[in-house]
Amino acid sequence: MNIIQRNFFRLLRSGVLNEYESLEPMSAFKWNRLVQMIEVQGVSPIALKGIKNHTYDENANIPKDLVDILSTQAKPTDDKPLPRLSNPVLNKRLHKIQTEERHHIDASMTTLDLLNIIVDNAVHIFNKGIPLSGITELGRFLRTRGDKVDFVKLEKWLSSLHLQRMAQLEGSILIAVFGFEQAEIPFVRKEEPAAYNLTIRTLNHTEKDTSEDWNFRQNSIGFVSNNSTTMRRNLRRGIRYFGYAPIETTSNYFYNFVKSLSEIEE
């Protein structure tokens, strides 16, 4: 982990968990790169709070214009819709959990909220890669509401959705880069060894993806062409995360493939 990445995670840990660790001084160029990471990962509100927590840190020499950029982005987001899965059988199970839990005599909406965070992160991983904004949300939830979660029920749900190992990967990221203890995350039975490298790989892709997000397109004379860059990227991502959720990873790939075909203009 290089100095930019170390300061990145220190700001996030401060912004999410109110943990303080002095920043390392950097040049304006490196601060600019760090702000690019913050923008791409969608964690501007968290990072800005971390910066404010480091107001009296003499090493927090971040240029004011970069702070202003983050301030313009740190706006509250709308409520997220409930996550859905690509596999129709698993999505039906998920929908049943989401709609029926509130009517059970032993209902635990806190546990359902945690499940939705885990599933939402998983969907993002299948489609875009590790969402550090979602991982930090998971960490904050566990620290502030984890004592109210029915982890036995959560484990049953994750098992029915075949997402136990994906959830374990998300928890392992909290351990690897956010300083969590395994005891804080009951659904992590075994720390995933690839969690750290997958997270750093996400940070290394700091440039915004400028390739068009389409698989197939029909041109003006009716010929259909494919975007080989997008297809290769999606295939590599599917292979990378296949072992964590084989059913949903495969379904997600083919769902996006078919969706792209259906969107060709006739």
Side-chain angles (χ1 to χ4, degrees):
M1 190 181 295
N2 61 41
I3 185 174
I4 300 173
Q5 294 164 348
R6 290 195 296 271
N7 278 344
F8 174 84
F9 283 114
R10 285 168 183 166
L11 287 178
L12 293 195
R13 289 176 67 177
S14 177
V16 173
L17 308 173
N18 289 317
E19 295 180 356
Y20 181 87
E21 183 178 359
S22 183
L23 300 171
E24 299 177 62
M26 299 194 302
S27 65
F29 172 79
K30 289 183 177 179
W31 276 114
N32 186 64
R33 293 293 293 171
L34 188 148
V35 169
Q36 287 180 0
M37 285 183 184
I38 291 170
E39 291 178 305
V40 172
Q41 298 302 326
V43 291
S44 296
I46 298 169
L48 188 64
K49 185 174 184 296
I51 291 170
K52 290 179 178 178
N53 288 346
H54 283 78
T55 299
Y56 301 106
D57 186 342
E58 61 182 15
N59 293 329
N61 60 331
I62 181 170
K64 184 180 183 302
D65 60 325
L66 296 182
V67 177
D68 292 339
I69 290 174
L70 293 179
S71 298
T72 61
Q73 299 173 347
K75 299 176 181 178
T77 56
D78 297 330
D79 292 335
K80 293 181 181 179
L82 291 177
R84 65 175 304 280
L85 296 170
S86 298
N87 183 275
V89 174
L90 298 185
N91 189 59
K92 185 177 180 180
R93 292 178 186 174
L94 173 62
H95 181 70
K96 184 177 181 180
I97 293 169
Q98 292 168 334
T99 56
E100 294 185 0
E101 175 61 18
R102 68 183 70 252
H103 303 298
H104 289 175
I105 191 170
D106 62 341
S108 173
M109 300 311 294
T110 302
T111 306
L112 182 59
D113 289 342
L114 179 55
L115 175 71
N116 285 327
I117 292 173
I118 292 172
V119 174
D120 191 59
N121 283 341
V123 171
H124 193 288
I125 289 171
F126 298 137
N127 290 287
K128 299 289 185 181
I130 293 172
L132 287 174
S133 58
I135 296 298
T136 56
E137 181 184 4
L138 175 62
R140 174 164 32 207
F141 190 98
L142 288 170
R143 284 282 174 88
T144 59
R145 301 174 64 189
D147 60 327
K148 298 178 177 64
V149 172
D150 183 341
F151 284 102
V152 174
K153 179 175 287 190
L154 178 68
E155 185 70 24
K156 179 181 177 182
W157 289 342
L158 291 173
S159 177
S160 70
L161 299 173
H162 297 278
L163 290 177
Q164 307 103 306
R165 196 175 172 201
M166 181 58 76
Q168 186 163 265
L169 173 63
E170 295 177 29
S172 295
I173 295 171
L174 290 175
I175 296 170
V177 298
F178 287 100
F180 274 66
E181 298 292 334
Q182 186 171 341
E184 297 181 83
I185 318 173
F187 53 84
V188 176
R189 296 185 177 181
K190 178 183 178 183
E191 193 172 346
E192 293 290 346
Y196 177 85
N197 288 337
L198 288 172
T199 306
I200 297 303
R201 185 184 186 282
T202 294
L203 284 188
N204 286 337
H205 289 72
T206 54
E207 296 299 329
K208 292 184 179 179
D209 187 3
T210 57
S211 64
E212 297 177 89
D213 192 17
W214 55 274
N215 288 319
F216 297 95
R217 171 184 288 171
Q218 187 176 41
N219 62 25
S220 59
I221 60 174
F223 288 106
V224 176
S225 59
N226 68 76
N227 184 341
S228 58
T229 299
T230 298
M231 294 183 71
R232 286 196 302 269
R233 184 176 65 241
N234 291 343
L235 181 59
R236 286 195 299 268
R237 186 185 307 114
I239 294 172
R240 186 178 307 121
Y241 294 107
F242 179 82
Y244 298 100
I247 298 175
E248 180 60 19
T249 301
T250 304
S251 297
N252 181 264
Y253 180 80
F254 284 105
Y255 172 83
N256 290 330
F257 185 86
V258 173
K259 182 181 177 182
S260 294
L261 284 175
S262 67
E263 292 176 349
I264 296 175
E265 294 183 2
E266 298 183 357

